[in-house]
Amino acid sequence: GAGVSQSPSNKVTEKGKDVELRCDPISGHTALYWYRQSLGQGLEFLIYFQGNSAPDKSGLPSDRFSAERTGGSVSTLTIQRTQQEDSAVYLCASSLDLLFMGDTQYFGPGTRLTVL
Amino acid sequence: ILNVEQSPQSLHVQEGDSTNFTCSFPSSNFYALHWYRWETAKSPEALFVMTLNGDEKKKGRISATLNTKEGYSYLYIKGSQPEDSATYLCAGGNDMRFGAGTRLTVKP
């Protein structure tokens, strides 16, 4: 079956512009996660959605970052007024239920964002 | 331990060597510990999900153990092959915090 998909695969933008990154999770997965990996760094948690519950936004680095998940499926991560330090690979993942209860997480191919 | 920590940061071994690395995590409010394998230019791939103290899981030449009381998990690779070269990530805690990973390079 189809895995997690993300678009675009690469995005180059100018400092100060807004960008939107899209994630299509595996059908039926209730949990959706956003992470990023900056150059030379580990995987950094950004936000997760679980069903209809309010999202856990505790990992968002600033108020320029926001995310929404429409209809419990597709999610969009928006970065406003991009800065060079936002350059990273942004990964989306989904799981059938909650990871901390032992469910498996499936990752998308990522979006490489470069802010010039 | 407040964060998930992995050691060593990187490891270089010869083909055929066996190796292991460590993931340390907060032992309070433990739910699950996940291991992932992340090859360059690919997405992280789930290896194991471990939930019970004393758990031992195996997939081919790779195995993992879990000690929830002391807050650590070991990943073992027996007879390393060049195709095992990747970054191995663990994640745990009720907020699924990731460690920085161990980058393994297996030389032919």
Side-chain angles (χ1 to χ4, degrees):
Chain A
V4 178
S5 61
Q6 291 185 245
S7 61
S9 56
N10 276 286
K11 176 73 176 178
V12 180
T13 190
E14 293 178 348
K15 179 181 172 181
K17 295 283 180 71
D18 297 352
V19 295
E20 284 190 351
L21 312 179
R22 177 187 166 108
C23 172
D24 281 274
I26 292 173
S27 178
H29 280 194
T30 63
L32 185 148
Y33 304 75
W34 283 99
Y35 300 91
R36 73 175 176 181
Q37 187 198 28
S38 304
L39 191 63
Q41 304 296 311
L43 210 54
E44 177 188 3
F45 165 76
L46 297 177
I47 185 171
Y48 91 81
F49 298 86
Q50 170 58 34
N52 296 320
S53 303
D56 178 349
K57 304 179 182 180
S58 59
L60 293 179
S62 78
D63 59 9
R64 295 184 297 103
F65 287 72
S66 63
E68 61 178 23
R69 189 179 184 191
T70 53
S73 182
V74 171
S75 177
T76 303
L77 177 70
T78 301
I79 309 173
Q80 294 178 308
R81 305 180 302 280
T82 51
Q83 304 294 310
Q84 288 180 332
E85 60 264 26
D86 298 334
S87 297
V89 175
Y90 288 81
L91 286 167
C92 173
S94 71
S95 65
L96 194 58
D97 205 329
L98 287 173
L99 292 183
F100 68 76
M101 298 304 289
D103 219 353
T104 297
Q105 191 173 36
Y106 298 88
F107 282 84
T111 293
R112 180 176 296 278
L113 175 66
T114 303
V115 182
L116 301 177
Chain B
I1 297 173
L2 297 179
N3 294 313
V4 177
E5 298 171 358
Q6 292 187 247
S7 62
Q9 188 174 37
S10 65
L11 198 52
H12 294 254
V13 301
Q14 288 294 137
E15 180 175 358
D17 287 351
S18 293
T19 188
N20 66 85
F21 21 93
T22 306
C23 172
S24 302
F25 54 87
S27 54
S28 60
N29 296 321
F30 175 82
Y31 290 99
L33 189 286
H34 298 248
W35 280 102
Y36 295 85
R37 167 193 161 90
W38 194 4
E39 290 182 75
T40 303
K42 294 186 178 179
S43 307
E45 174 193 357
L47 286 174
F48 304 114
V49 179
M50 308 177 80
T51 56
L52 298 176
N53 185 42
D55 245 0
E56 182 169 345
K57 299 235 172 158
K58 188 174 180 181
K59 184 185 287 190
R61 294 179 291 99
I62 305 176
S63 60
T65 60
L66 178 67
N67 183 321
T68 61
K69 293 182 180 179
E70 296 184 31
Y72 65 82
S73 175
Y74 293 136
L75 189 79
Y76 301 90
I77 302 178
K78 185 177 177 182
S80 303
Q81 300 296 309
E83 58 265 30
D84 296 329
S85 298
T87 296
Y88 292 82
L89 296 170
C90 70
N94 58 0
D95 60 357
M96 274 301 292
R97 195 174 293 271
F98 276 85
T102 293
R103 182 182 293 276
L104 174 67
T105 304
V106 182
K107 301 175 186 176

